[in-house]
Every structure is written in C-alpha cells, then in structure tokens.
Amino acid sequence: MEPWIRAQLAQPSTWRGLFLLLTALFGITLSAELQAAIPNLAIALLGIWEALRKGSRFGEPGA
C-alpha cells in the first residue's frame, strides 16, 4: 500500500484534488504560490520521515 500512496502523492492531480476538498469542506482559500509550495513541503517531510525511521538493512528484501 505504501508504494501506491507514494505514487499518488507524486501526481499533481492528487494535490489539486486535496486542495479542492479542503476548500469545499472548510472554506479554506489558498494562494497559487502556497498551493505550489505545499507539495514541496510534503516531499521534504516524507524525506525526513524516511531518513529518521528505522528500516531494514540496505539491499534486503522489503527494505
């Protein structure tokens, strides 16, 4: 499931859909600049998560 989630997060349409849902549900409006910055922030946070989490040794199946 994790590879599928990562693939979805890499698609701009996923982020546009999330912005539309936020706007519709909560009445939130975001500038175009902020909309462009949020995916970069999400990628940076995912990078931090991957760097800090405890994983298997490199090269092992499932690593």
Side-chain angles (χ1 to χ4, degrees), residues 2-59:
E2 187 177 326
W4 180 84
I5 292 172
R6 288 185 186 185
Q8 294 303 310
L9 290 176
Q11 298 180 22
S13 61
T14 300
W15 293 101
R16 285 192 298 270
L18 290 173
F19 290 128
L20 289 172
L21 283 172
L22 284 173
T23 300
L25 293 175
F26 302 109
I28 298 173
T29 56
L30 300 173
S31 67
E33 293 83 12
L34 186 57
Q35 288 180 16
I38 289 178
N40 293 333
L41 176 63
I43 291 169
L45 292 174
L46 182 60
I48 291 170
W49 167 255
E50 288 296 323
L52 297 178
R53 76 179 178 101
K54 183 177 181 181
S56 301
R57 292 188 337 162
F58 186 75

